[in-house]
Amino acid sequence: VFIGGGTPSLFSGGAIAALLDGLRARCVFEDDIEITLEANPGTVDAARFRDFRAAGVNRLSIGVQSFDDGKLQALGRIHDGTEARCAIDAARDAGFGNLNLDLMFGLPGDRPGDGVVDLEQAMAFTPEHISWYQLTIEEGTAFARKPPPLPGHDQICDDYEHGVERLAQGGFVQYEISAYARSGREARHNLNYWRFGDYLGIGAGAHGKRTDA
């Protein structure tokens, strides 16, 4: 089960529990089921993390993006680096033993090596999984209408190569384009999409895929 899109960490622990209870009433959950919830560091606190864990969520994906306050402001994020660090600590204190940290590189104002600095800080928290991807400018967005100053292609490539090397040194295996995991900690939903598996999408604008056997 993957609860994501938007900011599901705005929901209360009780709401997540009701959602999962509804799914259990209709589906058979395996004993080792992976239940992931995406969390924004600016919308959670320690009590809410504990409530999510009690509801049955056993994997958190925290949208850190960067630990640099200036970069976060440029991205329009509502949290700062301190809140990101506190959210990671709170997740561990709440009992989450499977943690993904989302990070970007190639951000507005990035100097050579900045993306790897963020990566090093994330690795210091010893997460089980890291998603590390380049910022892309999509049509119809504020950045597309007023493009920010972005680093050049060569700098981005250098940071990427250095970052992949550091991740490998830290025990992370790249198993998908932007996904890196410790052995046995690959995200099941990532693998399912990557292998073109079926999935049921529930929610406003959700998309699913089912093929006949």
Side-chain angles (χ1 to χ4, degrees), residues 173-211:
V173 175
Q174 184 177 15
Y175 70 96
E176 195 239 72
I177 291 175
S178 59
Y180 305 79
R182 300 188 187 280
S183 179
R185 295 294 190 153
E186 298 84 358
R188 295 182 193 173
H189 73 279
N190 281 4
L191 287 173
N192 186 50
Y193 301 151
W194 195 243
R195 294 167 177 167
F196 206 58
D198 291 348
Y199 57 96
L200 177 64
I202 303 173
H207 177 274
K209 183 180 80 70
R210 179 181 175 185
T211 55

PDB file of all heavy atoms in Angstrom, residues 173-211:
ATOM      1  N   VAL A 173      22.329   0.469  -3.269  1.00  0.00           N
ATOM      2  CA  VAL A 173      22.325  -0.093  -4.619  1.00  0.00           C
ATOM      3  C   VAL A 173      21.276   0.640  -5.444  1.00  0.00           C
ATOM      4  O   VAL A 173      20.132   0.800  -5.013  1.00  0.00           O
ATOM      5  CB  VAL A 173      22.016  -1.598  -4.588  1.00  0.00           C
ATOM      6  CG1 VAL A 173      21.899  -2.156  -6.006  1.00  0.00           C
ATOM      7  CG2 VAL A 173      23.085  -2.341  -3.800  1.00  0.00           C
ATOM      8  N   GLN A 174      21.670   1.094  -6.639  1.00  0.00           N
ATOM      9  CA  GLN A 174      20.724   1.754  -7.535  1.00  0.00           C
ATOM     10  C   GLN A 174      19.921   0.669  -8.251  1.00  0.00           C
ATOM     11  O   GLN A 174      20.451  -0.098  -9.040  1.00  0.00           O
ATOM     12  CB  GLN A 174      21.456   2.630  -8.542  1.00  0.00           C
ATOM     13  CG  GLN A 174      20.535   3.413  -9.453  1.00  0.00           C
ATOM     14  CD  GLN A 174      21.291   4.337 -10.408  1.00  0.00           C
ATOM     15  OE1 GLN A 174      22.505   4.192 -10.584  1.00  0.00           O
ATOM     16  NE2 GLN A 174      20.578   5.264 -11.007  1.00  0.00           N
ATOM     17  N   TYR A 175      18.612   0.617  -7.973  1.00  0.00           N
ATOM     18  CA  TYR A 175      17.782  -0.419  -8.576  1.00  0.00           C
ATOM     19  C   TYR A 175      16.739   0.154  -9.529  1.00  0.00           C
ATOM     20  O   TYR A 175      15.973  -0.587 -10.134  1.00  0.00           O
ATOM     21  CB  TYR A 175      17.100  -1.253  -7.493  1.00  0.00           C
ATOM     22  CG  TYR A 175      16.032  -0.542  -6.712  1.00  0.00           C
ATOM     23  CD1 TYR A 175      14.682  -0.655  -7.055  1.00  0.00           C
ATOM     24  CD2 TYR A 175      16.363   0.263  -5.637  1.00  0.00           C
ATOM     25  CE1 TYR A 175      13.694  -0.007  -6.344  1.00  0.00           C
ATOM     26  CE2 TYR A 175      15.384   0.919  -4.906  1.00  0.00           C
ATOM     27  CZ  TYR A 175      14.051   0.783  -5.267  1.00  0.00           C
ATOM     28  OH  TYR A 175      13.084   1.456  -4.550  1.00  0.00           O
ATOM     29  N   GLU A 176      16.722   1.470  -9.662  1.00  0.00           N
ATOM     30  CA  GLU A 176      15.790   2.165 -10.535  1.00  0.00           C
ATOM     31  C   GLU A 176      16.446   3.503 -10.867  1.00  0.00           C
ATOM     32  O   GLU A 176      17.502   3.819 -10.342  1.00  0.00           O
ATOM     33  CB  GLU A 176      14.437   2.308  -9.803  1.00  0.00           C
ATOM     34  CG  GLU A 176      13.258   2.683 -10.684  1.00  0.00           C
ATOM     35  CD  GLU A 176      12.653   3.978 -10.220  1.00  0.00           C
ATOM     36  OE1 GLU A 176      13.307   5.029 -10.439  1.00  0.00           O
ATOM     37  OE2 GLU A 176      11.570   3.942  -9.634  1.00  0.00           O
ATOM     38  N   ILE A 177      15.845   4.298 -11.748  1.00  0.00           N
ATOM     39  CA  ILE A 177      16.528   5.494 -12.238  1.00  0.00           C
ATOM     40  C   ILE A 177      16.979   6.407 -11.103  1.00  0.00           C
ATOM     41  O   ILE A 177      18.120   6.871 -11.072  1.00  0.00           O
ATOM     42  CB  ILE A 177      15.623   6.267 -13.225  1.00  0.00           C
ATOM     43  CG1 ILE A 177      15.446   5.465 -14.510  1.00  0.00           C
ATOM     44  CG2 ILE A 177      16.219   7.642 -13.544  1.00  0.00           C
ATOM     45  CD1 ILE A 177      14.480   6.085 -15.496  1.00  0.00           C
ATOM     46  N   SER A 178      16.093   6.690 -10.155  1.00  0.00           N
ATOM     47  CA  SER A 178      16.444   7.623  -9.088  1.00  0.00           C
ATOM     48  C   SER A 178      16.298   6.997  -7.707  1.00  0.00           C
ATOM     49  O   SER A 178      16.233   7.709  -6.702  1.00  0.00           O
ATOM     50  CB  SER A 178      15.557   8.875  -9.167  1.00  0.00           C
ATOM     51  OG  SER A 178      14.194   8.529  -9.058  1.00  0.00           O
ATOM     52  N   ALA A 179      16.242   5.671  -7.629  1.00  0.00           N
ATOM     53  CA  ALA A 179      15.996   4.982  -6.366  1.00  0.00           C
ATOM     54  C   ALA A 179      17.220   4.164  -5.953  1.00  0.00           C
ATOM     55  O   ALA A 179      17.747   3.380  -6.740  1.00  0.00           O
ATOM     56  CB  ALA A 179      14.770   4.078  -6.486  1.00  0.00           C
ATOM     57  N   TYR A 180      17.618   4.337  -4.688  1.00  0.00           N
ATOM     58  CA  TYR A 180      18.796   3.675  -4.137  1.00  0.00           C
ATOM     59  C   TYR A 180      18.413   3.071  -2.786  1.00  0.00           C
ATOM     60  O   TYR A 180      17.804   3.743  -1.953  1.00  0.00           O
ATOM     61  CB  TYR A 180      19.941   4.676  -3.944  1.00  0.00           C
ATOM     62  CG  TYR A 180      20.307   5.433  -5.197  1.00  0.00           C
ATOM     63  CD1 TYR A 180      19.530   6.519  -5.622  1.00  0.00           C
ATOM     64  CD2 TYR A 180      21.418   5.077  -5.962  1.00  0.00           C
ATOM     65  CE1 TYR A 180      19.860   7.216  -6.778  1.00  0.00           C
ATOM     66  CE2 TYR A 180      21.745   5.782  -7.121  1.00  0.00           C
ATOM     67  CZ  TYR A 180      20.953   6.850  -7.510  1.00  0.00           C
ATOM     68  OH  TYR A 180      21.276   7.545  -8.653  1.00  0.00           O
ATOM     69  N   ALA A 181      18.762   1.813  -2.585  1.00  0.00           N
ATOM     70  CA  ALA A 181      18.330   1.144  -1.362  1.00  0.00           C
ATOM     71  C   ALA A 181      19.429   0.245  -0.818  1.00  0.00           C
ATOM     72  O   ALA A 181      20.279  -0.253  -1.555  1.00  0.00           O
ATOM     73  CB  ALA A 181      17.074   0.314  -1.624  1.00  0.00           C
ATOM     74  N   ARG A 182      19.382   0.047   0.488  1.00  0.00           N
ATOM     75  CA  ARG A 182      20.211  -0.985   1.084  1.00  0.00           C
ATOM     76  C   ARG A 182      19.625  -2.344   0.700  1.00  0.00           C
ATOM     77  O   ARG A 182      18.447  -2.450   0.344  1.00  0.00           O
ATOM     78  CB  ARG A 182      20.252  -0.812   2.601  1.00  0.00           C
ATOM     79  CG  ARG A 182      20.829   0.539   3.030  1.00  0.00           C
ATOM     80  CD  ARG A 182      21.050   0.611   4.528  1.00  0.00           C
ATOM     81  NE  ARG A 182      21.451   1.950   4.930  1.00  0.00           N
ATOM     82  CZ  ARG A 182      22.680   2.445   4.826  1.00  0.00           C
ATOM     83  NH1 ARG A 182      23.640   1.690   4.306  1.00  0.00           N
ATOM     84  NH2 ARG A 182      22.959   3.672   5.217  1.00  0.00           N
ATOM     85  N   SER A 183      20.426  -3.369   0.766  1.00  0.00           N
ATOM     86  CA  SER A 183      20.007  -4.696   0.320  1.00  0.00           C
ATOM     87  C   SER A 183      18.711  -5.126   0.998  1.00  0.00           C
ATOM     88  O   SER A 183      18.586  -5.081   2.230  1.00  0.00           O
ATOM     89  CB  SER A 183      21.111  -5.713   0.622  1.00  0.00           C
ATOM     90  OG  SER A 183      20.729  -7.003   0.216  1.00  0.00           O
ATOM     91  N   GLY A 184      17.726  -5.519   0.192  1.00  0.00           N
ATOM     92  CA  GLY A 184      16.456  -5.972   0.713  1.00  0.00           C
ATOM     93  C   GLY A 184      15.480  -4.876   1.078  1.00  0.00           C
ATOM     94  O   GLY A 184      14.359  -5.162   1.525  1.00  0.00           O
ATOM     95  N   ARG A 185      15.865  -3.620   0.885  1.00  0.00           N
ATOM     96  CA  ARG A 185      15.006  -2.500   1.260  1.00  0.00           C
ATOM     97  C   ARG A 185      14.452  -1.753   0.042  1.00  0.00           C
ATOM     98  O   ARG A 185      13.963  -0.627   0.172  1.00  0.00           O
ATOM     99  CB  ARG A 185      15.785  -1.526   2.146  1.00  0.00           C
ATOM    100  CG  ARG A 185      16.181  -2.121   3.483  1.00  0.00           C
ATOM    101  CD  ARG A 185      14.964  -2.420   4.352  1.00  0.00           C
ATOM    102  NE  ARG A 185      15.335  -2.771   5.703  1.00  0.00           N
ATOM    103  CZ  ARG A 185      14.561  -2.594   6.765  1.00  0.00           C
ATOM    104  NH1 ARG A 185      13.353  -2.088   6.597  1.00  0.00           N
ATOM    105  NH2 ARG A 185      14.971  -2.939   7.957  1.00  0.00           N
ATOM    106  N   GLU A 186      14.498  -2.378  -1.112  1.00  0.00           N
ATOM    107  CA  GLU A 186      13.913  -1.758  -2.293  1.00  0.00           C
ATOM    108  C   GLU A 186      12.413  -1.550  -2.066  1.00  0.00           C
ATOM    109  O   GLU A 186      11.740  -2.425  -1.522  1.00  0.00           O
ATOM    110  CB  GLU A 186      14.128  -2.636  -3.521  1.00  0.00           C
ATOM    111  CG  GLU A 186      15.589  -2.858  -3.881  1.00  0.00           C
ATOM    112  CD  GLU A 186      16.245  -3.976  -3.118  1.00  0.00           C
ATOM    113  OE1 GLU A 186      15.563  -4.592  -2.256  1.00  0.00           O
ATOM    114  OE2 GLU A 186      17.433  -4.260  -3.356  1.00  0.00           O
ATOM    115  N   ALA A 187      11.894  -0.409  -2.484  1.00  0.00           N
ATOM    116  CA  ALA A 187      10.468  -0.130  -2.315  1.00  0.00           C
ATOM    117  C   ALA A 187       9.656  -1.044  -3.225  1.00  0.00           C
ATOM    118  O   ALA A 187       9.880  -1.087  -4.435  1.00  0.00           O
ATOM    119  CB  ALA A 187      10.175   1.332  -2.621  1.00  0.00           C
ATOM    120  N   ARG A 188       8.706  -1.740  -2.665  1.00  0.00           N
ATOM    121  CA  ARG A 188       7.936  -2.701  -3.465  1.00  0.00           C
ATOM    122  C   ARG A 188       7.081  -1.995  -4.513  1.00  0.00           C
ATOM    123  O   ARG A 188       6.873  -2.515  -5.606  1.00  0.00           O
ATOM    124  CB  ARG A 188       7.072  -3.565  -2.546  1.00  0.00           C
ATOM    125  CG  ARG A 188       7.905  -4.444  -1.629  1.00  0.00           C
ATOM    126  CD  ARG A 188       7.025  -5.320  -0.764  1.00  0.00           C
ATOM    127  NE  ARG A 188       7.806  -5.922   0.308  1.00  0.00           N
ATOM    128  CZ  ARG A 188       7.279  -6.630   1.304  1.00  0.00           C
ATOM    129  NH1 ARG A 188       5.962  -6.817   1.335  1.00  0.00           N
ATOM    130  NH2 ARG A 188       8.044  -7.136   2.242  1.00  0.00           N
ATOM    131  N   HIS A 189       6.540  -0.837  -4.149  1.00  0.00           N
ATOM    132  CA  HIS A 189       5.722  -0.136  -5.150  1.00  0.00           C
ATOM    133  C   HIS A 189       6.593   0.350  -6.299  1.00  0.00           C
ATOM    134  O   HIS A 189       6.188   0.311  -7.455  1.00  0.00           O
ATOM    135  CB  HIS A 189       4.933   1.016  -4.514  1.00  0.00           C
ATOM    136  CG  HIS A 189       5.741   2.206  -4.149  1.00  0.00           C
ATOM    137  ND1 HIS A 189       6.483   2.277  -2.991  1.00  0.00           N
ATOM    138  CD2 HIS A 189       5.919   3.389  -4.783  1.00  0.00           C
ATOM    139  CE1 HIS A 189       7.085   3.440  -2.931  1.00  0.00           C
ATOM    140  NE2 HIS A 189       6.784   4.138  -3.994  1.00  0.00           N
ATOM    141  N   ASN A 190       7.814   0.793  -6.013  1.00  0.00           N
ATOM    142  CA  ASN A 190       8.733   1.180  -7.086  1.00  0.00           C
ATOM    143  C   ASN A 190       8.995  -0.005  -8.018  1.00  0.00           C
ATOM    144  O   ASN A 190       8.950   0.123  -9.243  1.00  0.00           O
ATOM    145  CB  ASN A 190      10.069   1.659  -6.509  1.00  0.00           C
ATOM    146  CG  ASN A 190      10.016   3.085  -5.997  1.00  0.00           C
ATOM    147  OD1 ASN A 190       8.965   3.721  -5.999  1.00  0.00           O
ATOM    148  ND2 ASN A 190      11.148   3.590  -5.545  1.00  0.00           N
ATOM    149  N   LEU A 191       9.304  -1.148  -7.419  1.00  0.00           N
ATOM    150  CA  LEU A 191       9.611  -2.333  -8.218  1.00  0.00           C
ATOM    151  C   LEU A 191       8.414  -2.758  -9.062  1.00  0.00           C
ATOM    152  O   LEU A 191       8.574  -3.176 -10.210  1.00  0.00           O
ATOM    153  CB  LEU A 191      10.039  -3.482  -7.305  1.00  0.00           C
ATOM    154  CG  LEU A 191      11.432  -3.369  -6.676  1.00  0.00           C
ATOM    155  CD1 LEU A 191      11.639  -4.486  -5.660  1.00  0.00           C
ATOM    156  CD2 LEU A 191      12.515  -3.423  -7.749  1.00  0.00           C
ATOM    157  N   ASN A 192       7.224  -2.639  -8.508  1.00  0.00           N
ATOM    158  CA  ASN A 192       6.033  -3.035  -9.248  1.00  0.00           C
ATOM    159  C   ASN A 192       5.851  -2.171 -10.491  1.00  0.00           C
ATOM    160  O   ASN A 192       5.583  -2.675 -11.586  1.00  0.00           O
ATOM    161  CB  ASN A 192       4.803  -2.946  -8.351  1.00  0.00           C
ATOM    162  CG  ASN A 192       3.557  -3.490  -9.032  1.00  0.00           C
ATOM    163  OD1 ASN A 192       3.556  -4.590  -9.570  1.00  0.00           O
ATOM    164  ND2 ASN A 192       2.492  -2.700  -9.024  1.00  0.00           N
ATOM    165  N   TYR A 193       5.997  -0.856 -10.341  1.00  0.00           N
ATOM    166  CA  TYR A 193       5.890   0.032 -11.503  1.00  0.00           C
ATOM    167  C   TYR A 193       6.996  -0.273 -12.513  1.00  0.00           C
ATOM    168  O   TYR A 193       6.772  -0.308 -13.719  1.00  0.00           O
ATOM    169  CB  TYR A 193       6.001   1.500 -11.088  1.00  0.00           C
ATOM    170  CG  TYR A 193       4.969   1.972 -10.099  1.00  0.00           C
ATOM    171  CD1 TYR A 193       5.262   2.995  -9.211  1.00  0.00           C
ATOM    172  CD2 TYR A 193       3.691   1.407 -10.049  1.00  0.00           C
ATOM    173  CE1 TYR A 193       4.327   3.450  -8.302  1.00  0.00           C
ATOM    174  CE2 TYR A 193       2.748   1.857  -9.144  1.00  0.00           C
ATOM    175  CZ  TYR A 193       3.069   2.878  -8.267  1.00  0.00           C
ATOM    176  OH  TYR A 193       2.145   3.323  -7.368  1.00  0.00           O
ATOM    177  N   TRP A 194       8.199  -0.458 -12.002  1.00  0.00           N
ATOM    178  CA  TRP A 194       9.368  -0.680 -12.853  1.00  0.00           C
ATOM    179  C   TRP A 194       9.213  -1.953 -13.681  1.00  0.00           C
ATOM    180  O   TRP A 194       9.674  -2.037 -14.812  1.00  0.00           O
ATOM    181  CB  TRP A 194      10.610  -0.751 -11.967  1.00  0.00           C
ATOM    182  CG  TRP A 194      11.915  -0.631 -12.664  1.00  0.00           C
ATOM    183  CD1 TRP A 194      12.898  -1.572 -12.724  1.00  0.00           C
ATOM    184  CD2 TRP A 194      12.421   0.491 -13.395  1.00  0.00           C
ATOM    185  NE1 TRP A 194      13.976  -1.114 -13.442  1.00  0.00           N
ATOM    186  CE2 TRP A 194      13.704   0.152 -13.860  1.00  0.00           C
ATOM    187  CE3 TRP A 194      11.912   1.749 -13.696  1.00  0.00           C
ATOM    188  CZ2 TRP A 194      14.483   1.031 -14.624  1.00  0.00           C
ATOM    189  CZ3 TRP A 194      12.682   2.624 -14.444  1.00  0.00           C
ATOM    190  CH2 TRP A 194      13.947   2.258 -14.894  1.00  0.00           C
ATOM    191  N   ARG A 195       8.539  -2.939 -13.100  1.00  0.00           N
ATOM    192  CA  ARG A 195       8.322  -4.223 -13.785  1.00  0.00           C
ATOM    193  C   ARG A 195       6.998  -4.264 -14.538  1.00  0.00           C
ATOM    194  O   ARG A 195       6.581  -5.323 -15.002  1.00  0.00           O
ATOM    195  CB  ARG A 195       8.376  -5.355 -12.752  1.00  0.00           C
ATOM    196  CG  ARG A 195       9.760  -5.524 -12.132  1.00  0.00           C
ATOM    197  CD  ARG A 195       9.706  -6.413 -10.897  1.00  0.00           C
ATOM    198  NE  ARG A 195      11.043  -6.628 -10.347  1.00  0.00           N
ATOM    199  CZ  ARG A 195      11.271  -7.148  -9.140  1.00  0.00           C
ATOM    200  NH1 ARG A 195      10.249  -7.518  -8.372  1.00  0.00           N
ATOM    201  NH2 ARG A 195      12.517  -7.308  -8.711  1.00  0.00           N
ATOM    202  N   PHE A 196       6.343  -3.107 -14.642  1.00  0.00           N
ATOM    203  CA  PHE A 196       5.081  -2.977 -15.361  1.00  0.00           C
ATOM    204  C   PHE A 196       3.992  -3.847 -14.743  1.00  0.00           C
ATOM    205  O   PHE A 196       3.168  -4.447 -15.426  1.00  0.00           O
ATOM    206  CB  PHE A 196       5.259  -3.318 -16.852  1.00  0.00           C
ATOM    207  CG  PHE A 196       4.253  -2.635 -17.743  1.00  0.00           C
ATOM    208  CD1 PHE A 196       4.141  -1.255 -17.775  1.00  0.00           C
ATOM    209  CD2 PHE A 196       3.407  -3.373 -18.546  1.00  0.00           C
ATOM    210  CE1 PHE A 196       3.209  -0.638 -18.583  1.00  0.00           C
ATOM    211  CE2 PHE A 196       2.475  -2.762 -19.365  1.00  0.00           C
ATOM    212  CZ  PHE A 196       2.378  -1.389 -19.378  1.00  0.00           C
ATOM    213  N   GLY A 197       3.976  -3.898 -13.419  1.00  0.00           N
ATOM    214  CA  GLY A 197       2.974  -4.682 -12.718  1.00  0.00           C
ATOM    215  C   GLY A 197       1.641  -3.965 -12.624  1.00  0.00           C
ATOM    216  O   GLY A 197       1.520  -2.779 -12.962  1.00  0.00           O
ATOM    217  N   ASP A 198       0.632  -4.666 -12.174  1.00  0.00           N
ATOM    218  CA  ASP A 198      -0.702  -4.092 -11.999  1.00  0.00           C
ATOM    219  C   ASP A 198      -0.801  -3.375 -10.654  1.00  0.00           C
ATOM    220  O   ASP A 198      -0.115  -3.729  -9.688  1.00  0.00           O
ATOM    221  CB  ASP A 198      -1.761  -5.180 -12.070  1.00  0.00           C
ATOM    222  CG  ASP A 198      -1.897  -5.770 -13.460  1.00  0.00           C
ATOM    223  OD1 ASP A 198      -1.338  -5.177 -14.408  1.00  0.00           O
ATOM    224  OD2 ASP A 198      -2.550  -6.818 -13.604  1.00  0.00           O
ATOM    225  N   TYR A 199      -1.685  -2.396 -10.598  1.00  0.00           N
ATOM    226  CA  TYR A 199      -1.928  -1.704  -9.330  1.00  0.00           C
ATOM    227  C   TYR A 199      -3.292  -1.027  -9.402  1.00  0.00           C
ATOM    228  O   TYR A 199      -3.804  -0.707 -10.471  1.00  0.00           O
ATOM    229  CB  TYR A 199      -0.834  -0.675  -9.029  1.00  0.00           C
ATOM    230  CG  TYR A 199      -0.633   0.376 -10.101  1.00  0.00           C
ATOM    231  CD1 TYR A 199      -1.249   1.615 -10.010  1.00  0.00           C
ATOM    232  CD2 TYR A 199       0.184   0.116 -11.203  1.00  0.00           C
ATOM    233  CE1 TYR A 199      -1.073   2.572 -10.999  1.00  0.00           C
ATOM    234  CE2 TYR A 199       0.368   1.073 -12.188  1.00  0.00           C
ATOM    235  CZ  TYR A 199      -0.259   2.293 -12.079  1.00  0.00           C
ATOM    236  OH  TYR A 199      -0.094   3.238 -13.060  1.00  0.00           O
ATOM    237  N   LEU A 200      -3.881  -0.841  -8.225  1.00  0.00           N
ATOM    238  CA  LEU A 200      -5.188  -0.203  -8.102  1.00  0.00           C
ATOM    239  C   LEU A 200      -4.993   1.199  -7.540  1.00  0.00           C
ATOM    240  O   LEU A 200      -4.464   1.356  -6.433  1.00  0.00           O
ATOM    241  CB  LEU A 200      -6.087  -1.020  -7.175  1.00  0.00           C
ATOM    242  CG  LEU A 200      -7.473  -0.450  -6.869  1.00  0.00           C
ATOM    243  CD1 LEU A 200      -8.316  -0.382  -8.143  1.00  0.00           C
ATOM    244  CD2 LEU A 200      -8.174  -1.302  -5.813  1.00  0.00           C
ATOM    245  N   GLY A 201      -5.395   2.215  -8.296  1.00  0.00           N
ATOM    246  CA  GLY A 201      -5.294   3.598  -7.839  1.00  0.00           C
ATOM    247  C   GLY A 201      -6.629   4.059  -7.275  1.00  0.00           C
ATOM    248  O   GLY A 201      -7.669   3.897  -7.909  1.00  0.00           O
ATOM    249  N   ILE A 202      -6.600   4.620  -6.069  1.00  0.00           N
ATOM    250  CA  ILE A 202      -7.821   5.084  -5.406  1.00  0.00           C
ATOM    251  C   ILE A 202      -7.643   6.552  -5.032  1.00  0.00           C
ATOM    252  O   ILE A 202      -6.647   6.920  -4.407  1.00  0.00           O
ATOM    253  CB  ILE A 202      -8.114   4.263  -4.135  1.00  0.00           C
ATOM    254  CG1 ILE A 202      -8.231   2.775  -4.477  1.00  0.00           C
ATOM    255  CG2 ILE A 202      -9.382   4.756  -3.452  1.00  0.00           C
ATOM    256  CD1 ILE A 202      -8.356   1.883  -3.258  1.00  0.00           C
ATOM    257  N   GLY A 203      -8.618   7.385  -5.405  1.00  0.00           N
ATOM    258  CA  GLY A 203      -8.557   8.791  -5.022  1.00  0.00           C
ATOM    259  C   GLY A 203      -8.813   9.701  -6.207  1.00  0.00           C
ATOM    260  O   GLY A 203      -8.883   9.245  -7.359  1.00  0.00           O
ATOM    261  N   ALA A 204      -8.954  10.994  -5.916  1.00  0.00           N
ATOM    262  CA  ALA A 204      -9.231  11.976  -6.961  1.00  0.00           C
ATOM    263  C   ALA A 204      -8.086  12.008  -7.973  1.00  0.00           C
ATOM    264  O   ALA A 204      -6.942  12.268  -7.612  1.00  0.00           O
ATOM    265  CB  ALA A 204      -9.428  13.355  -6.348  1.00  0.00           C
ATOM    266  N   GLY A 205      -8.408  11.730  -9.231  1.00  0.00           N
ATOM    267  CA  GLY A 205      -7.392  11.764 -10.278  1.00  0.00           C
ATOM    268  C   GLY A 205      -6.435  10.592 -10.264  1.00  0.00           C
ATOM    269  O   GLY A 205      -5.444  10.589 -10.996  1.00  0.00           O
ATOM    270  N   ALA A 206      -6.707   9.586  -9.441  1.00  0.00           N
ATOM    271  CA  ALA A 206      -5.789   8.446  -9.346  1.00  0.00           C
ATOM    272  C   ALA A 206      -5.840   7.599 -10.612  1.00  0.00           C
ATOM    273  O   ALA A 206      -6.854   7.525 -11.297  1.00  0.00           O
ATOM    274  CB  ALA A 206      -6.137   7.587  -8.136  1.00  0.00           C
ATOM    275  N   HIS A 207      -4.738   6.949 -10.908  1.00  0.00           N
ATOM    276  CA  HIS A 207      -4.625   6.109 -12.099  1.00  0.00           C
ATOM    277  C   HIS A 207      -4.212   4.708 -11.671  1.00  0.00           C
ATOM    278  O   HIS A 207      -3.322   4.546 -10.839  1.00  0.00           O
ATOM    279  CB  HIS A 207      -3.566   6.692 -13.055  1.00  0.00           C
ATOM    280  CG  HIS A 207      -3.331   5.856 -14.269  1.00  0.00           C
ATOM    281  ND1 HIS A 207      -2.448   4.808 -14.292  1.00  0.00           N
ATOM    282  CD2 HIS A 207      -3.892   5.913 -15.510  1.00  0.00           C
ATOM    283  CE1 HIS A 207      -2.446   4.245 -15.487  1.00  0.00           C
ATOM    284  NE2 HIS A 207      -3.314   4.892 -16.234  1.00  0.00           N
ATOM    285  N   GLY A 208      -4.857   3.692 -12.217  1.00  0.00           N
ATOM    286  CA  GLY A 208      -4.486   2.322 -11.941  1.00  0.00           C
ATOM    287  C   GLY A 208      -4.222   1.561 -13.230  1.00  0.00           C
ATOM    288  O   GLY A 208      -4.459   2.063 -14.332  1.00  0.00           O
ATOM    289  N   LYS A 209      -3.734   0.358 -13.112  1.00  0.00           N
ATOM    290  CA  LYS A 209      -3.465  -0.482 -14.286  1.00  0.00           C
ATOM    291  C   LYS A 209      -3.759  -1.923 -13.927  1.00  0.00           C
ATOM    292  O   LYS A 209      -3.235  -2.453 -12.935  1.00  0.00           O
ATOM    293  CB  LYS A 209      -2.023  -0.363 -14.765  1.00  0.00           C
ATOM    294  CG  LYS A 209      -1.755  -1.187 -16.034  1.00  0.00           C
ATOM    295  CD  LYS A 209      -0.315  -1.064 -16.484  1.00  0.00           C
ATOM    296  CE  LYS A 209       0.612  -1.965 -15.692  1.00  0.00           C
ATOM    297  NZ  LYS A 209       0.392  -3.401 -16.019  1.00  0.00           N
ATOM    298  N   ARG A 210      -4.615  -2.550 -14.722  1.00  0.00           N
ATOM    299  CA  ARG A 210      -4.921  -3.954 -14.500  1.00  0.00           C
ATOM    300  C   ARG A 210      -4.936  -4.670 -15.852  1.00  0.00           C
ATOM    301  O   ARG A 210      -5.553  -4.209 -16.813  1.00  0.00           O
ATOM    302  CB  ARG A 210      -6.295  -4.118 -13.842  1.00  0.00           C
ATOM    303  CG  ARG A 210      -6.669  -5.578 -13.620  1.00  0.00           C
ATOM    304  CD  ARG A 210      -8.037  -5.728 -12.993  1.00  0.00           C
ATOM    305  NE  ARG A 210      -8.424  -7.131 -12.886  1.00  0.00           N
ATOM    306  CZ  ARG A 210      -9.600  -7.542 -12.468  1.00  0.00           C
ATOM    307  NH1 ARG A 210     -10.515  -6.662 -12.094  1.00  0.00           N
ATOM    308  NH2 ARG A 210      -9.871  -8.834 -12.402  1.00  0.00           N
ATOM    309  N   THR A 211      -4.224  -5.760 -15.906  1.00  0.00           N
ATOM    310  CA  THR A 211      -4.201  -6.571 -17.122  1.00  0.00           C
ATOM    311  C   THR A 211      -4.858  -7.906 -16.816  1.00  0.00           C
ATOM    312  O   THR A 211      -4.773  -8.420 -15.702  1.00  0.00           O
ATOM    313  CB  THR A 211      -2.764  -6.805 -17.609  1.00  0.00           C
ATOM    314  OG1 THR A 211      -1.992  -7.371 -16.542  1.00  0.00           O
ATOM    315  CG2 THR A 211      -2.122  -5.504 -18.043  1.00  0.00           C
TER     316      THR A 211
END
